[in-house]
Amino acid sequence: MSKLVAGNWKMFGDKNMISEIKKIDQHCNEVRCEVAICPPFPLILSAYEQTKNIQIGAQNCHTDINGAHTGEVSAEMLTEVGAQLIIVGHSERRQDNYESNDIVKLKSEAVHRAGATAVVCIGETLKERETDKTLSVLQEQMLNSLPKNVNPLNTVVAYEPVWAIGTGLVPEIDQIRAAHSFIRGFLASTYGAEAHNVKILYGGSVKGSNAKEIFSISNVNGALVGGASLKSNDFIEIITAASNSI
Ligand code: PEP
């Protein structure tokens, strides 16, 4: 299956950085992978209007369509301005905003309701890895935060070890392989044969220098990239690695 390279800009970026998105879009005219950028909400519409080869996404949404929820944005509002995929359950939101698995599941279902793809993030903390709880944590997160009807079009799973996000630390190749194989097994046994084509992204300090090796691991179907997605040259190196890994 073709790989997906998705950039998570977090709370970075201003109007001037649309030019970075345009450079990435131009580069993606002929690549053999899918590419997405998830900028902060205020940039989604102009990013969408100024690109044609990449998808634009969002980093969060509310569970409801609309209502008295000051400061919140619904999945429908995001798809209306061009978001085709929406990240839910990023570890920064699970930590900073106390988002539980139950909330993440409701958000994933809201993304489906709006007709977009939910990029559902899961991953263990360093303490959980050191106490051999990685697979049980992943299982618990998948059981309770994945939506009801998962298929390759409506859901992407992002495996992001919390300790690897923004730290420059990357798990051993075998650790990534084991986690992705476990996730694939869970998806197949829960959602059936179709789940073999659900993309599983790796996220956590992916950069141009390690992307090729990470993309060669079985069941790694792309990457969710934070820091290295903010500069077009850095992100394009990762896109090139994905495009060449077919
Ligand atoms: C992320 O924010 O999802 C992420 C993986 O960040 P970084 O690539 O900077 O580790």
Side-chain angles (χ1 to χ4, degrees), residues 178-201:
H180 279 244
S181 150
F182 180 76
I183 294 165
R184 177 68 68 211
F186 178 93
L187 293 175
S189 65
T190 311
Y191 301 101
E194 242 197 338
H196 283 291
N197 290 321
V198 170
K199 286 184 174 37
I200 307 172
L201 310 185

Side-chain angles (χ1 to χ4, degrees), residues 112 146-152 154-157 187 191 194-195 198:
H112 289 182
L146 285 175
K148 275 193 292 289
N149 301 310
V150 165
N151 69 43
N154 68 17
T155 307
V156 168
V157 176
L187 293 175
Y191 301 101
E194 242 197 338
V198 170

Side-chain angles (χ1 to χ4, degrees), residues 28-173:
C28 290
N29 194 19
E30 288 195 353
V31 292
R32 286 157 301 171
C33 62
E34 296 164 46
V35 176
I37 303 261
C38 304
F41 292 149
L43 300 183
I44 290 176
L45 178 60
S46 51
Y48 173 68
E49 287 176 342
Q50 296 188 57
T51 51
K52 55 179 192 301
N53 303 311
I54 66 171
Q55 297 190 335
I56 300 302
Q59 303 166 24
N60 177 41
C61 65
H62 194 268
T63 55
D64 292 350
I65 297 180
N66 46 43
H69 305 298
T70 302
E72 294 288 345
V73 176
S74 73
E76 282 76 2
M77 291 168 179
L78 294 167
T79 53
E80 193 190 17
V81 293
Q84 288 160 277
L85 68 180
I86 303 178
I87 299 170
V88 293
H90 191 283
S91 63
E92 286 155 14
R93 294 205 60 87
R94 288 179 187 262
Q95 281 173 353
D96 302 351
N97 301 76
Y98 311 104
E99 288 190 6
S100 63
N101 284 324
D102 292 348
I103 293 285
V104 175
K105 181 178 192 160
L106 290 172
K107 290 190 174 194
S108 312
E109 287 169 356
V111 175
H112 289 182
R113 185 188 65 216
T117 300
V119 180
V120 185
C121 301
I122 56 173
E124 82 286 358
T125 62
L126 189 56
K127 189 164 173 222
E128 288 161 346
R129 173 153 294 273
E130 286 172 348
T131 51
D132 271 343
K133 296 203 180 93
T134 299
L135 299 186
S136 60
V137 167
L138 296 182
Q139 163 131 342
E140 156 99 13
Q141 290 178 328
M142 287 191 284
L143 261 179
N144 297 308
S145 60
L146 285 175
K148 275 193 292 289
N149 301 310
V150 165
N151 69 43
L153 288 179
N154 68 17
T155 307
V156 168
V157 176
Y159 168 58
E160 300 209 300
V162 178
W163 51 276
I165 296 177
T167 58
L169 300 172
V170 178
E172 303 289 325
I173 296 302

Side-chain angles (χ1 to χ4, degrees), residues 8 10 90 92 160 164-167 203-206 224-228:
N8 170 18
K10 313 192 189 205
H90 191 283
E92 286 155 14
E160 300 209 300
I165 296 177
T167 58
S205 300
V206 176
L224 184 55
V225 184

